[in-house]
Amino acid sequence: MRDHLRAGVAIFNDGHYHAAHDAWEERWLDLEAGSDDERLLHGLIQYSGAVYHARERNWEGAVGLAESAREYLGRISADYSGLHLEPVRSFLAGLAADPELIERRPPVVLAHDGTPPSLSDLDFGSTAIAAVILAEEFGYDPGPIEQARAYARRDLEAGADDSQFIALLFDFVRADEHRGIVFQRLREHVGRRQAREKDVDGLFGSN
């Protein structure tokens, strides 16, 4: 829950409002309806949707989602799961009353554990989630990212402290200007690892 929550918060705070909901939705779909965790993620998903539609000048959609998000987030404590929700509720109330508010004020950033995290603040667990989501958002093939994530987790379990997969996943998430170059390097590393694994498998496979 925490990794998905924090990944979505950082993606939202960095201005990728459409992508943010994917981090939350991935976890939300597995939660029991009506639980506080489900209400929190449901409300955040609708908050990101309200902001996205308001920025697209879909006023009716923005109002409906803002009202619904405020309702969900109003059913849990204002500091639930380390989030500071009161400013978000207040902004949603204003957006529901006047969706053109988005053109005069930026959305309220989400504070988690006392500060508003950005993509550069994420640990590996949240970064691994954000990497796949951002790949899909920006039109990169998510396959190599998912494979790199699997290799990175395997390296972590093996105690490796110099994993290129871990470093490249961090770079992919954080390096806006060089994301394309990082993706190419990451795909090459994945290809080399897969080739080595195939070679090893061939040594012990049946003729």
Side-chain angles (χ1 to χ4, degrees), residues 128 131-137 139-152 165 169 172 183 186-191 194:
V132 174
I133 290 166
L134 293 176
E136 294 173 344
E137 179 70 8
Y140 295 97
D141 179 2
I145 302 292
E146 292 172 346
Q147 188 61 61
R149 181 170 66 178
Y151 286 141
F165 295 106
L169 284 171
F172 181 78
F183 176 77
L186 191 149
R187 184 165 56 183
E188 291 169 357
H189 277 281
V190 166
Q194 289 176 327

Side-chain angles (χ1 to χ4, degrees), residues 19-181:
H21 88 277
D22 286 326
W24 297 320
E25 186 173 303
E26 190 175 272
R27 183 70 185 91
W28 169 66
L29 291 171
D30 295 329
L31 296 173
E32 180 183 353
S35 68
D36 284 349
D37 282 354
E38 189 271 339
R39 287 171 177 161
L40 173 67
L41 294 187
H42 203 160
L44 292 176
I45 289 166
Q46 296 197 336
Y47 176 38
S48 66
V51 169
Y52 175 79
H53 283 292
R55 286 167 57 87
E56 294 293 311
R57 301 177 68 86
N58 175 7
W59 307 130
E60 183 177 353
V63 168
L65 286 168
E67 290 173 343
S68 182
R70 187 181 176 210
E71 181 179 350
Y72 277 109
L73 296 179
R75 294 180 182 178
I76 55 180
S77 65
D79 59 354
Y80 186 77
S81 204
L83 285 174
H84 188 37
L85 293 176
E86 197 52 49
V88 179
R89 293 171 180 168
S90 214
F91 180 82
L92 285 166
L95 193 64
D98 175 17
E100 294 184 41
L101 172 69
I102 200 75
E103 299 186 342
R104 303 189 300 276
R105 286 177 52 193
V108 170
V109 297
L110 296 163
H112 184 242
D113 291 343
T115 60
S118 67
L119 292 171
S120 62
D121 299 317
L122 297 180
D123 61 15
F124 174 74
S126 298
T127 294
I129 292 167
V132 174
I133 290 166
L134 293 176
E136 294 173 344
E137 179 70 8
F138 297 129
Y140 295 97
D141 179 2
I145 302 292
E146 292 172 346
Q147 188 61 61
R149 181 170 66 178
Y151 286 141
R153 287 173 173 160
R154 194 181 304 174
D155 288 348
L156 276 176
E157 291 171 1
D161 57 4
D162 59 348
S163 169
Q164 283 295 308
F165 295 106
I166 295 173
L168 287 169
L169 284 171
F170 276 116
D171 288 345
F172 181 78
V173 167
R174 298 175 177 181
D176 284 342
E177 295 182 2
H178 306 292
R179 189 168 281 124
I181 295 171

